[in-house]
Amino acid sequence: KPVRSVCYSADGQHLFSASDDTTLNMYDTHQGTPVQTLAGHTSWVLNVACCPTQQHFASCGSDKRVKIWDFGTRQCVASFDSHEDQVW
């Protein structure tokens, strides 16, 4: 499936991708290997952004949701579901 967005962590050690298969993927940039696939959106993930403090990263999608993820645990810690249309 197409990748819609990518971002690097502030330290450059991780790369995140947002894709049409409803997932986010986290990669180790030094090893060039996947670290984890994150699920939580129900439709295309359109964008991903990393916080400069590396405490959180955010994703948004065509499911009209914005999700905040904990960088360390890679768990969703907040979901904003009140948007009326897809979020870029």
Side-chain angles (χ1 to χ4, degrees):
K1 298 278 182 174
V3 171
R4 298 283 176 166
S5 177
V6 296
C7 73
Y8 278 100
S9 60
D11 63 6
Q13 292 185 27
H14 295 94
L15 176 74
F16 294 87
S17 67
S19 67
D20 284 2
D21 67 358
T22 75
T23 65
L24 295 160
N25 286 290
M26 180 182 194
Y27 299 92
D28 181 312
T29 58
H30 296 293
Q31 300 294 322
T33 56
V35 174
Q36 188 169 353
T37 298
L38 306 167
H41 286 277
T42 59
S43 189
W44 298 352
V45 185
L46 300 174
N47 208 342
V48 59
C50 293
C51 177
T53 63
Q54 289 192 195
Q55 292 180 333
H56 298 96
F57 56 98
S59 61
C60 58
S62 60
D63 60 1
K64 305 176 189 175
R65 294 184 175 120
V66 174
K67 294 190 172 288
I68 308 299
W69 303 82
D70 182 276
F71 192 92
T73 65
R74 296 185 284 281
Q75 297 294 313
C76 181
V77 295
S79 186
F80 302 93
D81 304 331
S82 61
H83 297 88
E84 294 181 12
D85 203 350
Q86 61 189 2
V87 184
W88 287 90

